[in-house]
Amino acid sequence: MIYRSPLEFSAGSISNELNSIAIPSFVLDRYFGKCVRSIVALAPLAATFLPNVALAQSAGTEAGGQIEDVVVTAPSEVQAATQQQLQQVQATRASTTILTARQLQAAQITDLRQATRLQPGLNVKFQNVRNIAINVRGFGASSSSATDAIFGGTPVYVNGVYQPFVGQAVFNMPDLEGFEVRKGPQATGGGQDNTGGAVYITTALPSFVAAQNLQFQYGSYNWFQLQGSATGPIADSDKAAFRFSFFGQDREGYIRSTTSDDRYNSTHDKAANFNVLLTPSNDLTALLTASYSHSSQACCVSGFAGVVDHYTNGQAVSNNYYQRSARIGQSVPSASEWINTYTTQGQGWQNTSQDNYVASAKIDYTFNDYKLSSVTSFTQWDFHPHNGFQLNPGVSYIVGSGSQVTARSVVQDIKFSTPTGGPVEAAGGVFLLWSRVMNWGKSAYGPLAGSWYGNTNYSQLVNDRALNYLMRSAYDNPETYQVSPYMQATYHATPDVDITGGVRYSYVYKRSNFSQWLSSEQSLDGLSIAQQAQARALRVSQMGANTNWYADTHQGMASALFTATYKFTPDIYVYVTASQGGRAGGPNVPMTGNIADTVPHTVKAERIENYEVGLKTSWFDQRVIANIAAFTMFNHNYITQATNVIGATAVTYLANAELAQSRGVELDVRVQPTEELTFYGSLVYDDAFYGSFTNSPCPFEIKANSCDLSGQPISNTPKWSFAIGGEYVHDLGSFLQPATDKPVSVYFGVDFAWQSRFYSDTSNSVYSQINPYGILNLHGGLRFNDESLDISGWVHNALDKRFYNIIAPTTAGLISAQLGDPLMAGFTIRAKF
């Protein structure tokens, strides 16, 4: 196991103009308290005493590499890290795309959600910090609705450590260096099982060269961001180094309520990481990490985007949204008001937050050129919803409702690797996982629920007694035990031909209880026997009956890999891959209500077959990089969502589609014609569809018990997507004399991302289509060539494109939607010393 960080430079004292940058103490106190403020204040002083040891860490992959001494002569730390990252991508025998350190810095990308705009083919759908879907080539998770018992098929790793709960990995991180996406099954090399691919996030790690970094950003909607880090040897040692980094962000909401003073889609994030690197000998290294992050959002409200009042057969939707609104005296806004003005007539407090704690140890021991690697991690993830937003005030009374979640996991991955450079290089090990999720759910109706949800054939008295202040409580506790031995080897048949093969078997045992019970402040006393029966039936039809059940699964999954590579030249090669991967199923814990007796209480495991051919080329000393890959994938027992009306309630649960397919082409190009000019572009064609789903749920507008989605597109996967961009840098020399002798460069950059039409709901309702759209971003600035100071300005969504992230019909035909971010602009100041 290797520990990636950019090439390091001797730390010198920062010039006087940098010393003049002051961060107000109240800002630091607000985010991190006096402890961090003290560290930042002492950082310049510490640089005076910490020795400058010329030690850097070499590049590599998860399977190899080691720390070695180097003499740093590169003109730029970020340029060196970027070159290192591109070399790694070219050496990977799979379709791989990466956002380099330079791209992340230029585009102000600090989390995985932002990274998707420059990573076509990687789709992240986000409802809140718990409900997230990450897909590659259309596979990973069918929807952003949480699946507590079943992990996503696109695993995420941070510095090689698997993140079981994706909410912890998609938010702001300090010291980001790269986002790498590897396409196709990857599990025979270690880590978690996967389907469409895997995401690898890297951050800067401890250095024996003392250095400090500080970044300040301010932008639209009072978008304030502060991050920094300090690194160096511990007690002047050449055997131990540390790195401390922190991040804080505040942004006001850009959605405003027209009936209150509430604002929505605000963010409040903070994070802190502490790493210790130990190198007691040339044969032994250890990286110890402890991190904490907190994310709090007034997110993610859904607004009015229209009403479905007739089914496709011409029949009117009974008790529809218009009729219900009239009964409670609420006006219905225009469909265009939501997206054109970013306003809603809904009101109430909305907040979801998460706390994440991670401790990990990565240990490498080398003996006689053999290597033993160990990655151990513990994670606790807490989710706290405090939902009070009501699009129809008075219907629901949901302050503090939602799913309170506490999740814990322990991961152990042990790998043994043979020496490199011989005719055969092999690695094998075992991946172990234990996880438990404890979920307490609650939802409650308000004082107008009887008027809104009531049966029009019942009296108002019955409807009010049955539904006003009715509450549903639920609990589930899915637990996972996983053991996965694996092995992968490469045979260098000739100097130009490599053969790689791998096998893996995963045994996954899962179990869960599910309980649900109803309670109400409304007594049924005083109603007739017939009316009481009506009220009880109405309660069950709306929220489900009291229930308690237990389910467990024992599932085995086989994975395999075969790759043949032929090198035309050292920088041009073609590869052919056939591989198999999987995603474990488990107990079918319902997301809303309780599932009918006819619905299976367990979900089968996915089995995916991938066939791929690719060409990787590098020209003119890596000034031109062009990679292309074509693929076809078959996903058996694809895990998707089903939503059926049980009684009067739409109940959402998981189901297996017999077959889903994905086929397409991926192109990635980078060109640097001169030292001053850089271009990059990625294009993805991905035709992902249901090969066979003969007993699927029906879209809202089709009034039928079941449908056939065979041949229809898979949701959340645009068929076409691309991202292009570039940056121009011009050296101005020492034109700031006499203020400073440091050479200065000016730079300008642009990126544009576009995607075609796709469905955002698993039922493929025509009302869930998101139209094609593109987002333009601009940036420019001035920086010292040694990167000690960088001042830039930026504009995100420069054309102010209005678009939906999610849109779908819901109860009573209401089409609700979540909005994408509007135009935002600001500036960033970075300092290194």
Side-chain angles (χ1 to χ4, degrees):
M1 192 65 61
I2 61 134
Y3 312 111
R4 299 184 57 216
S5 76
L7 296 178
E8 295 144 354
F9 295 79
S10 297
S13 60
I14 190 168
S15 57
N16 292 334
E17 62 269 18
L18 295 184
N19 291 328
S20 66
I21 296 176
I23 303 299
S25 61
F26 77 88
V27 172
L28 292 173
D29 286 339
R30 180 179 182 182
Y31 289 92
F32 304 101
K34 295 181 179 179
C35 177
V36 174
R37 177 158 56 91
S38 300
I39 292 175
V40 173
L42 291 173
L45 181 61
T48 304
F49 298 100
L50 294 176
N52 299 327
V53 181
L55 179 68
Q57 299 165 4
S58 64
T61 65
E62 293 74 21
Q66 61 184 1
I67 296 174
E68 60 183 27
D69 294 335
V70 298
V71 177
V72 179
T73 59
S76 163
E77 179 179 348
V78 175
Q79 289 175 357
T82 297
Q83 188 77 1
Q84 194 179 60
Q85 291 169 321
L86 294 177
Q87 290 173 352
Q88 177 179 327
V89 167
Q90 291 305 100
T92 303
R93 268 58 172 175
S95 179
T96 306
T97 57
I98 192 169
L99 295 186
T100 65
R102 174 63 76 198
Q103 285 178 287
L104 297 178
Q105 187 180 98
Q108 298 82 43
I109 292 175
T110 57
D111 64 40
L112 183 59
R113 289 177 299 159
Q114 298 169 2
T116 58
R117 73 175 193 247
L118 298 182
Q119 282 274 18
L122 171 66
N123 296 300
V124 177
K125 290 303 170 186
F126 174 87
Q127 290 190 48
N128 57 45
V129 295
R130 179 173 180 243
N131 297 287
I132 302 168
I134 304 176
N135 290 322
V136 175
R137 292 180 173 174
F139 297 143
S142 64
S143 127
S144 53
S145 295
T147 55
D148 291 337
I150 299 173
F151 297 112
T154 301
V156 178
Y157 302 85
V158 177
N159 293 326
V161 178
Y162 172 57
Q163 312 291 303
F165 313 111
V166 295
Q168 69 198 29
V170 298
F171 288 92
N172 295 302
M173 297 182 183
D175 281 343
L176 274 178
E177 284 192 340
F179 285 97
E180 182 179 337
V181 180
R182 298 187 188 177
K183 320 292 180 65
Q186 305 285 325
T188 60
Q192 179 60 291
D193 293 285
N194 61 84
T195 54
V199 178
Y200 298 89
I201 303 173
T202 53
T203 67
L205 296 176
S207 166
F208 288 91
V209 177
Q212 296 80 38
N213 299 271
L214 195 61
Q215 176 177 307
F216 170 82
Q217 177 175 290
Y218 185 80
S220 304
Y221 305 99
N222 285 325
W223 186 355
F224 173 88
Q225 186 185 104
L226 177 68
Q227 62 175 303
S229 65
T231 187
I234 297 176
D236 294 333
S237 171
D238 62 353
K239 303 295 184 182
F242 80 96
R243 189 177 194 97
F244 173 77
S245 55
F246 64 89
F247 185 102
Q249 175 177 267
D250 249 349
R251 191 195 69 196
E252 293 180 357
Y254 54 80
I255 295 175
R256 177 179 57 85
S257 171
T258 59
T259 57
S260 70
D261 294 329
D262 297 316
R263 300 187 73 91
Y264 305 103
N265 283 29
S266 63
T267 62
H268 312 277
D269 304 331
K270 62 181 72 173
N273 296 331
F274 186 72
N275 301 294
V276 174
L277 175 64
L278 304 176
T279 58
S281 69
N282 293 332
D283 298 327
L284 179 64
T285 63
L287 177 68
L288 310 178
T289 300
S291 65
Y292 167 76
S293 63
H294 172 83
S295 178
S296 177
Q297 300 184 318
C299 179
C300 296
V301 299
S302 296
F304 178 88
V307 175
V308 183
D309 56 3
H310 282 79
Y311 298 111
T312 53
N313 63 4
Q315 180 182 347
V317 177
S318 62
N319 200 14
N320 63 49
Y321 187 83
Y322 290 131
Q323 296 166 340
R324 295 184 181 195
S325 298
R327 288 202 300 268
I328 67 172
Q330 177 177 290
S331 62
V332 178
S334 67
S336 62
E337 180 179 338
W338 176 233
I339 194 168
N340 290 333
T341 65
Y342 285 87
T343 60
T344 176
Q345 66 179 16
Q347 59 183 259
W349 184 52
Q350 175 85 350
N351 181 266
T352 58
S353 64
Q354 68 171 359
D355 291 284
N356 187 60
Y357 311 82
V358 179
S360 66
K362 300 171 63 178
I363 301 173
D364 288 344
Y365 177 64
T366 303
F367 53 97
N368 295 329
D369 293 328
Y370 290 86
K371 178 178 287 187
L372 182 64
S373 302
S374 171
V375 180
T376 308
S377 65
F378 168 80
T379 299
Q380 175 166 320
W381 180 71
D382 298 324
F383 174 70
H384 316 284
H386 303 286
N387 301 318
F389 175 78
Q390 301 177 48
L391 185 59
N392 312 106
V395 172
S396 297
Y397 185 76
I398 55 174
V399 174
S401 77
S403 295
Q404 301 279 346
V405 179
T406 294
R408 298 183 179 92
S409 70
V410 176
V411 174
Q412 176 66 64
D413 196 347
I414 300 176
K415 181 185 295 186
F416 178 78
S417 305
T418 65
T420 60
V424 178
E425 300 174 4
V430 60
F431 175 84
L432 306 170
L433 167 68
W434 170 84
S435 171
R436 186 178 186 186
V437 179
M438 294 169 284
N439 175 21
W440 295 266
K442 181 176 70 174
S443 58
Y445 287 162
L448 298 180
S451 298
W452 183 267
Y453 294 108
N455 189 319
T456 55
N457 295 319
Y458 294 171
S459 69
Q460 191 61 47
L461 176 63
V462 170
N463 288 330
D464 289 344
R465 289 286 192 91
L467 300 180
N468 289 352
Y469 303 108
L470 178 66
M471 178 182 292
R472 168 188 175 269
S473 300
Y475 173 74
D476 62 84
N477 59 350
E479 192 169 16
T480 300
Y481 297 85
Q482 178 177 343
V483 180
S484 304
Y486 59 88
M487 182 176 67
Q488 184 169 302
T490 297
Y491 170 51
H492 302 291
T494 73
D496 299 325
V497 177
D498 290 339
I499 305 294
T500 300
V503 294
R504 175 190 177 104
Y505 182 80
S506 291
Y507 170 76
V508 184
Y509 169 62
K510 295 189 178 186
R511 62 186 181 187
S512 181
N513 290 292
F514 176 78
S515 299
Q516 174 179 286
W517 58 98
L518 305 184
S519 59
S520 176
E521 297 179 9
Q522 298 285 333
S523 171
L524 301 183
D525 294 342
L527 299 180
S528 67
I529 294 177
Q531 288 175 324
Q532 290 184 16
Q534 289 176 338
R536 292 190 183 98
L538 186 54
R539 286 178 175 178
V540 171
S541 71
Q542 285 299 129
M543 288 193 169
N546 294 346
T547 188
N548 181 30
W549 54 261
Y550 169 84
D552 62 1
T553 58
H554 300 260
Q555 296 177 340
M557 299 183 300
S559 297
L561 171 75
F562 174 84
T563 299
T565 304
Y566 178 75
K567 296 180 181 179
F568 297 99
T569 73
D571 295 324
I572 302 175
Y573 68 89
V574 63
Y575 66 90
V576 178
T577 293
S579 58
Q580 178 173 295
R583 177 191 181 195
N588 194 358
V589 176
M591 292 147 231
T592 55
N594 60 322
I595 57 180
D597 293 337
T598 56
V599 175
H601 282 184
T602 60
V603 180
K604 300 176 184 177
E606 293 182 8
R607 178 176 62 84
I608 193 164
E609 300 164 7
N610 173 60
Y611 304 95
E612 178 178 333
V613 57
L615 176 67
K616 291 197 172 186
T617 68
S618 177
W619 311 81
F620 310 114
D621 195 23
Q622 284 200 326
R623 288 188 176 274
V624 177
I625 294 175
N627 301 327
I628 188 170
F631 64 90
T632 183
M633 307 178 80
F634 302 89
N635 192 329
H636 304 271
N637 297 320
Y638 174 66
I639 299 173
T640 185
Q641 259 191 12
T643 302
N644 287 332
V645 176
I646 300 176
T649 302
V651 178
T652 303
Y653 52 90
L654 295 176
N656 290 107
E658 296 92 343
L659 177 66
Q661 294 179 241
S662 177
R663 57 196 180 192
V665 178
E666 298 158 340
L667 174 66
D668 190 64
V669 177
R670 294 173 185 268
V671 181
Q672 187 176 7
T674 70
E675 293 295 332
E676 297 182 323
L677 192 60
T678 303
F679 297 105
Y680 56 85
S682 295
L683 171 68
V684 173
Y685 170 77
D686 186 2
D687 182 19
F689 60 96
Y690 292 105
S692 176
F693 196 9
T694 55
N695 190 26
S696 66
C698 292
F700 181 90
E701 65 272 14
I702 297 178
K703 191 171 178 61
N705 292 327
S706 66
C707 291
D708 186 353
L709 287 180
S710 302
Q712 293 294 310
I714 292 175
S715 60
N716 296 318
T717 306
K719 185 169 289 188
W720 289 95
S721 58
F722 71 82
I724 56 175
E727 188 176 62
Y728 174 75
V729 181
H730 182 65
D731 192 343
L732 299 177
S734 302
F735 90 107
L736 292 180
Q737 290 179 333
T740 179
D741 291 330
K742 289 187 175 183
V744 176
S745 292
V746 63
Y747 59 92
F748 304 95
V750 59
D751 64 77
F752 180 77
W754 182 89
Q755 57 187 11
S756 62
R757 181 180 290 107
F758 64 92
Y759 293 103
S760 67
D761 181 71
T762 55
S763 70
N764 283 10
S765 166
V766 296
Y767 300 101
S768 72
Q769 290 188 72
I770 294 181
N771 292 323
Y773 68 89
I775 301 298
L776 176 69
N777 302 288
L778 307 172
H779 71 271
L782 190 75
R783 63 171 174 253
F784 291 148
N785 290 357
D786 65 359
E787 297 179 342
S788 58
L789 180 63
D790 188 330
I791 302 175
S792 63
W794 45 265
V795 182
H796 296 165
N797 192 2
L799 302 179
D800 199 19
K801 177 64 178 179
R802 306 299 174 93
F803 62 99
Y804 294 127
N805 283 323
I806 298 173
I807 183 171
T810 59
T811 304
L814 167 67
I815 303 174
S816 65
Q818 293 183 7
L819 298 175
D821 291 345
L823 182 150
M824 297 185 185
F827 68 89
T828 302
I829 302 174
R830 299 183 183 90
K832 297 182 180 182
F833 46 97

